[in-house]
Amino acid sequence: MTEIEKIATPLIAWITEQGLMGISREGILKGYCERLVQAGVPLLRFHLAQRAYHPKFGGIGFSWTRAEGLSHQHFQRQEAPIAAWLRSPFYRMLQLDNEEFRSSFEAEDMADFPLLGELHATGATDYFATRQLFGEPDDEPMNPDQPSEGMMVSWTSDQHGGFSEENLALFRRLLPHLGLALKSSSHRQMASDLLQVYLGRDAGRRVLSGEIQRGSSQQIDAVICYFDLKGFTRLAEQLSGPELIDMLNDYFALAVATIQCHGGNILKFMGDGILTMFNLGSIEEDATAALNAASELRVKIAERNIERADQGLPVAEFTLALHAGEILYGNIGAENRLDFTVIGPAVNLTSRISGLHREVGQSIIVSEVVQRAAQPSPHDMVSLGRYMLRGVAQPIELYTIYGCAT
């Protein structure tokens, strides 16, 4: 067995084990770098970049240094690539479709790639980069602005003379195994991210953990919230498609952030509305969190409307209804198309309460069930009177939070 294989064999076994165990990318990369150093590799810095399948982030970078350990950074999606990426060795490799890049920090290299100048200033003597594609290679020329799925990797040394040929051979020997373990880990993370984005945090977690059988559900007590934009039909007739989408995204982003900040789960978007659930452990906690979210939303949307009006953008008011009760939470639908959602009388009643905004003249309506569960409450709850609702035998008293815009 060669000296390289003596080092590579146990490392490959360890990487494989980490991949099979589902260890995070952070855990795998930290252990990989530490084991290289323990094996005598003069590693100053390690960096890995991957595409991210996420609506907000286009990529993720992991950096390990001997002094600071492992860190990571998400890169937001942008219409135009940032200057640091365009002047990086990774971009040049993709641009020229080169498999590898190496530099001993010659003046010309540092002029072309600012990163190399920064590394040289820390004492770096050698920089080696390569890539590992995931999947079949494309016949089409590589597009550096839309790279194929895979990873770009670099190793930096501060040893006099840099990396030895044996070091580089070890990097190449380990790379496919590292790539396979990271591919497994990143795909699970991608599934988790996408499920949470499209289904909601709680529903996404449940589906990923195996709650995927049609009809599987559980009975829970929760507060149901219907959030809706007022006058949306009129605005839809007045605005262009892109303007309408921008407006929806602006208000929805504000509503979702506020609701989630108070522990609410976003169940689904319904046109210009949002169905939300608060299920924090007790109906008292749920009611308190829901009222806090409603009160905060009233303030934030009023502030946002002032900002939008100052910018000459269309503005919209909102309505919000809160009710609590027992609901069924789980998988509903057909065998090949399921929805993880809520159903039950409490959900239906929340919808009916939501339809009374114009009649009662208030933007926020709270059922007596939520009002009672939240006591004592810092909010000034004002009765709107008792109402008979379709499907309910007894009248129900409704409340609002004093100070809400009508």
Side-chain angles (χ1 to χ4, degrees), residues 342-397:
V342 292
I343 61 171
V347 182
N348 298 335
L349 188 53
T350 311
S351 177
R352 288 169 193 153
I353 292 172
S354 179
L356 292 174
H357 289 288
R358 187 172 297 175
E359 184 176 341
V360 302
Q362 297 293 329
S363 291
I364 295 178
I365 308 178
V366 181
S367 77
E368 61 184 25
V369 182
V370 174
Q371 187 269 345
R372 285 198 306 265
Q375 297 306 312
S377 171
H379 306 290
D380 188 359
M381 306 298 295
V382 178
S383 174
L384 300 173
R386 300 168 74 206
Y387 291 82
M388 291 297 300
L389 299 177
R390 182 168 54 87
V392 181
Q394 300 294 324
I396 180 171
E397 190 164 6

Side-chain angles (χ1 to χ4, degrees), residues 226-245:
Y226 270 108
F227 171 91
D228 200 35
L229 290 179
K230 291 172 67 174
F232 182 78
T233 302
R234 173 182 54 81
L235 288 168
E237 294 172 351
Q238 297 173 350
L239 302 176
S240 67
E243 287 178 312
L244 193 66
I245 294 299

Side-chain angles (χ1 to χ4, degrees), residues 39-58:
V41 176
L43 187 63
L44 171 68
R45 175 184 181 266
F46 171 88
H47 182 73
L48 181 144
Q50 275 187 285
R51 284 175 59 185
Y53 287 86
H54 192 280
K56 185 177 180 181
F57 306 112

Side-chain angles (χ1 to χ4, degrees), residues 228-267:
D228 200 35
L229 290 179
K230 291 172 67 174
F232 182 78
T233 302
R234 173 182 54 81
L235 288 168
E237 294 172 351
Q238 297 173 350
L239 302 176
S240 67
E243 287 178 312
L244 193 66
I245 294 299
D246 286 345
M247 184 190 75
L248 271 178
N249 285 339
D250 192 16
Y251 285 111
F252 279 178
L254 185 61
V256 168
T258 304
I259 290 166
Q260 288 184 336
C261 180
H262 290 278
N265 286 304
I266 308 301
L267 297 172

Side-chain angles (χ1 to χ4, degrees), residues 218-225 276-279 282-284 286-287 322-329 342-350 353 367-373 396:
Q218 64 179 128
Q219 287 191 329
I220 60 174
D221 286 318
V223 169
I224 298 297
C225 169
T276 301
M277 175 183 73
F278 290 83
N279 178 33
S282 73
I283 198 66
E284 291 78 17
D286 301 340
L322 297 175
H323 181 53
E326 190 176 81
I327 59 174
L328 278 172
Y329 182 44
V342 292
I343 61 171
V347 182
N348 298 335
L349 188 53
T350 311
I353 292 172
S367 77
E368 61 184 25
V369 182
V370 174
Q371 187 269 345
R372 285 198 306 265
I396 180 171

Side-chain angles (χ1 to χ4, degrees), residues 80-130:
I82 61 174
W85 168 244
L86 294 175
R87 297 192 65 190
S88 70
F90 285 173
Y91 189 85
R92 178 68 61 84
M93 289 169 61
L94 294 172
Q95 205 173 32
L96 302 178
D97 201 16
N98 290 341
E99 292 293 327
E100 296 182 350
F101 174 91
R102 191 178 184 186
S103 173
S104 299
F105 298 95
E106 294 83 1
E108 183 180 351
D109 283 349
M110 290 191 288
D112 287 344
F113 307 110
L115 169 67
L116 296 186
E118 295 170 11
L119 293 175
H120 185 60
T122 68
T125 58
D126 196 2
Y127 176 93
F128 175 69
T130 187

Side-chain angles (χ1 to χ4, degrees), residues 227 229 245-258 295-318 405:
F227 171 91
L229 290 179
I245 294 299
D246 286 345
M247 184 190 75
L248 271 178
N249 285 339
D250 192 16
Y251 285 111
F252 279 178
L254 185 61
V256 168
T258 304
S295 181
E296 186 175 321
L297 256 179
R298 174 180 60 85
V299 175
K300 286 188 172 181
I301 287 185
E303 293 173 347
R304 181 59 54 86
N305 281 346
I306 293 173
E307 296 170 0
R308 290 181 64 86
D310 288 344
Q311 297 170 27
L313 298 173
V315 300
E317 297 297 337
F318 78 102

